[in-house]
Amino acid sequence: MRLVTHLIALNREIRLRRQLADIERVVLDLPVRAHADLQQLVRREMEQAAACDFPHLYGTPPEERYSTYGHGPDIGLAKARSENPLIATRGVALWVASVYHETLDSRRPGMEELHRQILRLMRQIKELSASDRREAQADWMASGRATI
């Protein structure tokens, strides 16, 4: 039984790593103006997931709440692949929140590394959002609208 449990956990880890690569690609492909929205959505999804009884199952339909793993990452990835930037940002936020909580207290070395990569992705989203705001301010200042 221990071997089966190990294989299930290893399969989940591999699946989430593949999804992370797709999510990172989606984040970089989002329009510049969407990064600030993404940061706010990630923050909101994280808060909502933390308020749940089982944060690692965030995004999972209620009838499936007794499954081994949640469906939040799969649902989030499907939305993140959308052509619509608004739906894609919502999907990325759902994916990040659900995988963050799923990997939070994991004792498996591979899942701990995945958790660190999620934290890096969250920092990258924050930095992209901040650079977008700085560029918008610089453009506004350069346009001559800023007169004192």
Side-chain angles (χ1 to χ4, degrees):
M1 187 63 180
R2 188 175 284 174
L3 177 63
V4 172
T5 305
H6 176 73
L7 289 175
I8 290 170
L10 186 61
N11 182 40
R12 181 64 173 183
E13 178 185 329
I14 291 169
R15 184 176 189 166
L16 292 177
R17 282 187 188 283
R18 285 186 188 143
Q19 289 180 355
L20 175 63
D22 289 345
I23 291 293
E24 287 175 332
R25 207 169 313 124
V26 168
V27 169
L28 293 175
D29 290 344
L30 284 173
V32 174
R33 65 186 184 282
H35 291 134
D37 295 338
L38 177 59
Q39 182 188 11
Q40 291 175 354
L41 284 170
V42 167
R43 185 180 306 129
R44 190 179 74 196
E45 293 285 342
M46 295 288 286
E47 290 170 358
Q48 289 177 350
C52 291
D53 292 334
F54 303 105
H56 66 285
L57 296 178
Y58 183 69
T60 302
E63 62 273 4
E64 305 234 358
R65 70 179 212 207
Y66 295 108
S67 60
T68 307
Y69 294 107
H71 298 293
D74 297 327
I75 294 168
L77 182 64
K79 288 181 179 182
R81 290 178 173 159
S82 171
E83 295 294 321
N84 184 330
L86 181 59
I87 294 172
T89 55
R90 290 186 180 278
V92 169
L94 172 61
W95 190 91
V96 168
S98 57
V99 174
Y100 172 86
H101 286 287
E102 186 175 323
T103 60
L104 181 60
D105 293 323
S106 178
R107 290 181 214 93
R108 297 184 50 80
M111 291 298 254
E112 288 175 345
E113 175 59 29
L114 184 60
H115 186 73
R116 285 190 289 273
Q117 290 176 346
I118 297 299
L119 293 173
R120 278 188 218 113
L121 177 62
M122 291 169 64
R123 186 185 71 227
Q124 181 181 16
I125 291 169
K126 183 178 179 181
E127 289 171 353
L128 285 171
S129 172
S131 69
D132 295 345
R133 276 189 234 125
R134 281 193 300 272
E135 288 174 13
Q137 289 173 351
D139 290 345
W140 183 76
M141 293 292 279
S143 70
R145 291 185 207 151
T147 55
I148 300 178

